[in-house]
Amino acid sequence: MKIHRLTSENSVLGNFIAQMRDINIQKDPLRFRYNVKRISHILAYEISKTLSYKNTTITTPLATAQGSCIDNKIVIASVLRAGLAMHEGFIDVFDDAENAFLSEYRAYKEDGKNFEIKFEYMASPNIEGKTLLIVDPMLATGSSIIVAMNGLLRNGKPKHIHFASIFSSEQGIQKLKENIDEDLCDIWTIVTDPELNQHGYIVPGLGDAGDLCYGEKL
């Protein structure tokens, strides 16, 4: 398993991350979703460098030209709700990809702190032999991604899995490493924050990405 941390060197990503964290800029959900989307474009571009390509001949109005096109069959999978904004960014880049959507939620126990991930719904194509991209803005405890991946694997074994997040925790990365076939999966992230709080949220993080994208829920 290879872990790709895209802020290992300075770039414009630092601007986008700063805006996503800023409690004042967060008041504009359109701006927040836009930052998620343009960071997703960058993540998708970086992942594209690892894919397989085939040579092709393109007919232009004047002659023919040689080019190369992605040879992988790609499936983009996201967990509702927060994953939707990332999904839009990824499908902008991989515009002929198939798509999968999963519904999960945190079911808190009586103490209001501990929880388990409940899996409710999945719509997914066959993923056998395909390249699976699982996208979620936040890799916190890692539990929801493991549940999602186990659900998706009911529809076949992919050729390779790329998990992409914007914010991650060291604990979440470690949990994925312990529960996923390391030869099958790469992890891509922009920021790795040092800890989780008692509710399993990334600190300093940015709060609830789903609420910031689409409004608070009951």
Side-chain angles (χ1 to χ4, degrees):
M1 177 182 291
K2 188 171 183 180
I3 301 172
H4 309 261
R5 305 176 195 265
L6 299 192
T7 47
S8 58
E9 58 185 14
N10 288 328
S11 74
V12 71
L13 280 169
N15 292 59
F16 304 157
I17 293 298
Q19 291 177 22
M20 289 184 70
R21 288 197 197 267
D22 190 302
I23 193 170
N24 294 307
I25 298 176
Q26 285 182 354
K27 294 174 183 178
D28 182 354
L30 178 61
R31 184 71 177 181
F32 189 87
R33 292 194 302 272
Y34 180 63
N35 279 323
V36 171
K37 191 172 181 179
R38 58 183 178 173
I39 290 173
S40 300
H41 290 163
I42 295 170
L43 275 165
Y45 169 74
E46 292 296 327
I47 291 172
S48 77
K49 296 177 183 179
T50 71
L51 302 179
S52 300
Y53 287 80
K54 60 183 177 182
N55 295 326
T56 185
T57 300
I58 307 115
T59 302
T60 80
L62 302 177
T64 59
Q66 298 302 306
S68 62
C69 295
I70 293 172
D71 198 31
N72 302 68
K73 293 182 179 179
I74 296 172
V75 178
I76 304 169
S78 60
V79 180
L80 305 175
R81 296 179 297 167
L84 288 176
M86 276 193 81
H87 199 111
E88 288 186 16
F90 268 76
I91 203 168
D92 280 349
V93 177
F94 301 115
D95 55 339
D96 57 354
E98 296 179 277
N99 301 275
F101 300 93
L102 301 100
S103 173
E104 300 175 0
Y105 68 94
R106 288 183 173 190
Y108 283 92
K109 302 191 182 295
E110 292 184 2
D111 60 11
K113 298 177 183 179
N114 295 305
F115 61 88
E116 61 178 326
I117 301 297
K118 295 289 188 180
F119 180 88
E120 287 190 311
Y121 166 84
M122 179 177 75
S124 170
N126 186 338
I127 63 172
E128 184 70 32
K130 299 176 183 177
T131 300
L132 179 62
L133 311 181
I134 303 178
V135 302
D136 194 321
M138 312 296 284
L139 170 56
T141 66
S143 298
S144 63
I145 295 306
I146 292 168
V147 170
M149 193 170 298
N150 289 336
L152 288 162
L153 290 176
R154 299 173 192 168
N155 285 9
K157 182 179 179 179
K159 178 181 179 181
H160 199 77
I161 299 170
H162 296 275
F163 173 70
S165 69
I166 297 176
F167 292 85
S168 62
S169 72
E170 292 291 355
Q171 296 96 317
I173 289 174
Q174 184 60 36
K175 187 162 187 175
L176 289 192
K177 290 173 67 177
E178 293 171 355
N179 288 274
I180 296 172
D181 182 350
E182 291 198 11
D183 294 329
L184 187 63
C185 186
D186 279 20
I187 297 174
W188 300 77
T189 190
I190 307 299
V191 176
T192 304
D193 280 343
E195 61 181 311
L196 298 173
N197 67 12
Q198 60 183 352
H199 299 290
Y201 284 96
I202 298 172
V203 179
L206 47 71
D208 188 305
D211 286 358
L212 292 168
C213 280
Y214 302 110
E216 294 184 2
K217 57 191 176 295
L218 292 176

